[in-house]
Amino acid sequence: MSVMVTKGAPETGSAPISSHVRGYLDRVRGGDVGALPAILGLVVLCTIFTILRPAFLSEGNFANLFTQGAAVTVIAMGLVFVLLLGEIDLSAGFASGVCAAVLAVLLTNHGWPWYWAVVASLVTGAGIGLVLGVLVAKLGIPSFVVTLAAFLAFQGIVLMLMNEGSNISIRDDTILAVANKNVSPALGWLMLAVGLAGYAAVQLWQARGRVSRGLTADPISLIAIRVAAVAVIAGVAVYVLNQERSRNAIVVSLKGVPIVVPLIVVLLIGWTFVLRRTAYGRHIYAVGGNREASRRAGINVDRIRISAFMICSTMAAVGGVIAASRANSVDPNTGGSNVLLYAVGAAVIGGTSLFGGKGRVLDAVLGGAVVAVIDNGMGLMGYSAGVKYVVTGLVLLLAAGVDALSRKRAAATGLR
């Protein structure tokens, strides 16, 4: 029985789904687990908290999970670039605090328009990253020492900007809307439809490109399964978020996807494209995998390292803006406390390696979700902050252990 295949269709030169499944299982057995532990952990945690506290998956708490973990997730996205190089940035938390303080001072004390204040905040973040990157790449000071020094210094800078401990309120409606307002239900469905169409188009375009180069491509059936899975997960999320969450809808209506969600999605898509589809992204992975080999291949290693720190600090600035929006103010503790620990933990828990060369921006989102679920779920169960820290620390240690073991397994099987 013959089967007709349309000329040029991605199905040509594609392997059956069964071979893709076997290949994935072989990679997992070989140590390439990727984000699988984070996904399984997220499913297990959500199941446990839902059973113990059914209110965990209520419409209101579901929306709160997104806004609660947004700032940490965005900072973790930037940290992925530094971690991919095998470096660390211990100052990212307080760097976000400095940038948030700049935003608040310009908005409230000097009356700047919100867009110029945001630009100034982002420029401050990029400048911080430039200084850190130059100290690490050009002077050869270990990133741990440089960013630890910056961690201490930025606390002092925040205090000086805050007049040694004052609190600056944010009154600009646009900034406050970032973490406190929602898009309309109709717009939420429209964004979902556009996003799914774009995702499907990219998948088909990639498959067609591989076929045109004579390479094995994913079959149409596998692409359809991926798109359907994303559609179901995202569709359920949009449906739940579009439900009325206000206790008194007559006074004020509260429904729709939080504005911060599409912001994170845009950042995720943009940085994923940079890492996976540009020469710069390939250079990041190359330098993280073998710095000396990259240098001999003609890659400007110093420039790559400096730019990674600039991206990290700029994303910290975005996280600072989100944190200021959610708190409606900026104080000397903005960006402090557990922000850095949670951000680094989010990246590592999601699957980014501490040894460099392995990771994705998506890891930060998945890890940020795990951290937010732990913090939120244990809060609903009435556990103290101390217990939350202990559990989060154990999860981080487990993720780092999985990373170390998977690297050993990969080296033993010849996958790395």
Side-chain angles (χ1 to χ4, degrees):
M1 180 178 180
S2 61
V3 178
M4 295 184 63
V5 179
T6 305
K7 184 178 180 181
E11 194 74 23
T12 303
S14 62
I17 293 180
S18 58
S19 67
H20 285 271
V21 174
R22 287 194 299 269
Y24 175 74
L25 294 177
D26 288 340
R27 291 196 301 272
V28 171
R29 285 193 292 266
D32 184 12
V33 295
L36 181 61
I39 295 174
L40 293 178
L42 196 58
V43 172
V44 171
L45 287 170
C46 288
T47 302
I48 292 174
F49 288 136
T50 301
I51 294 173
L52 297 178
R53 287 291 185 272
F56 175 77
L57 281 186
S58 64
E59 292 87 350
N61 194 60
F62 188 61
N64 186 50
L65 280 171
F66 288 99
T67 57
Q68 184 175 344
V72 166
T73 298
V74 170
I75 297 173
M77 285 183 181
L79 280 166
V80 166
F81 285 81
V82 174
L83 293 174
L84 282 173
L85 299 179
E87 306 285 359
I88 188 67
D89 186 353
L90 299 177
S91 67
F94 273 112
S96 72
V98 170
C99 297
V102 169
L103 173 80
V105 169
L106 294 178
L107 276 177
T108 304
N109 296 353
H110 298 282
W112 281 33
W114 69 267
Y115 42 88
W116 286 120
V118 170
V119 169
S121 178
L122 298 179
V123 170
T124 300
I128 288 173
L130 176 61
V131 173
L132 297 178
V134 168
L135 291 174
V136 172
K138 295 298 185 181
L139 297 185
I141 307 174
S143 59
F144 179 88
V145 176
V146 170
T147 58
L148 179 60
F151 172 86
L152 298 172
F154 291 160
Q155 294 183 62
I157 293 175
V158 171
L159 281 172
M160 289 187 287
L161 290 173
M162 296 286 100
N163 294 322
E164 300 299 330
S166 63
N167 183 304
I168 300 180
S169 298
I170 304 292
R171 300 186 182 90
D172 186 272
D173 292 337
T174 303
I175 298 298
L176 292 177
V178 173
N180 297 291
K181 298 295 183 180
N182 312 292
V183 301
S184 66
L187 182 56
W189 286 118
L190 177 61
M191 290 190 298
L192 174 61
V194 172
L196 288 175
Y199 178 67
V202 169
Q203 291 286 310
L204 292 171
W205 175 74
Q206 291 176 353
R208 188 176 296 276
R210 290 183 63 85
V211 170
S212 66
R213 295 192 297 272
L215 302 174
T216 301
D218 294 338
I220 294 293
S221 51
L222 180 59
I223 294 176
I225 291 174
R226 288 175 181 164
V227 174
V230 173
V232 170
I233 295 173
V236 170
V238 172
Y239 173 79
V240 173
L241 292 172
N242 280 345
Q243 302 305 304
E244 183 61 65
R245 304 191 294 271
S246 175
R247 295 183 177 180
N248 192 342
I250 298 178
V251 177
V252 58
S253 178
L254 186 61
K255 58 184 178 180
V257 178
I259 292 175
V260 75
V261 174
L263 172 61
I264 291 177
V265 171
V266 169
L267 291 172
L268 172 62
I269 294 174
W271 288 126
T272 298
F273 175 82
V274 168
L275 281 180
R276 296 187 60 183
R277 297 296 168 185
T278 66
Y280 173 78
R282 291 190 291 272
H283 291 171
I284 286 278
Y285 284 108
V287 173
N290 192 317
R291 189 179 303 170
E292 184 57 32
S294 300
R295 193 188 310 277
R296 294 184 179 185
I299 297 175
N300 191 325
V301 174
D302 288 349
R303 184 178 300 172
I304 293 296
R305 297 173 74 193
I306 292 172
S307 64
F309 277 96
M310 292 181 67
I311 291 173
C312 181
S313 294
T314 303
M315 290 297 288
V318 178
V321 173
I322 294 173
S325 173
R326 186 167 188 267
N328 296 341
S329 63
V330 176
D331 59 57
N333 292 320
T334 301
S337 186
N338 54 12
V339 172
L340 172 68
L341 303 179
Y342 277 2
V344 174
V348 176
I349 290 170
T352 299
S353 175
L354 286 168
F355 302 96
K358 188 183 79 172
R360 303 170 301 169
V361 180
L362 179 61
D363 296 340
V365 177
L366 294 174
V370 172
V371 171
V373 165
I374 293 174
D375 189 50
N376 181 279
M378 298 195 74
L380 287 176
M381 294 177 65
Y383 287 106
S384 66
V387 176
K388 294 179 186 178
Y389 290 153
V390 170
V391 173
T392 306
L394 291 174
V395 172
L396 174 57
L397 180 61
L398 177 62
V402 170
D403 178 34
L405 292 174
S406 65
R407 287 176 63 86
K408 289 183 178 180
R409 179 64 178 171
T413 55
L415 292 179
R416 183 176 176 84

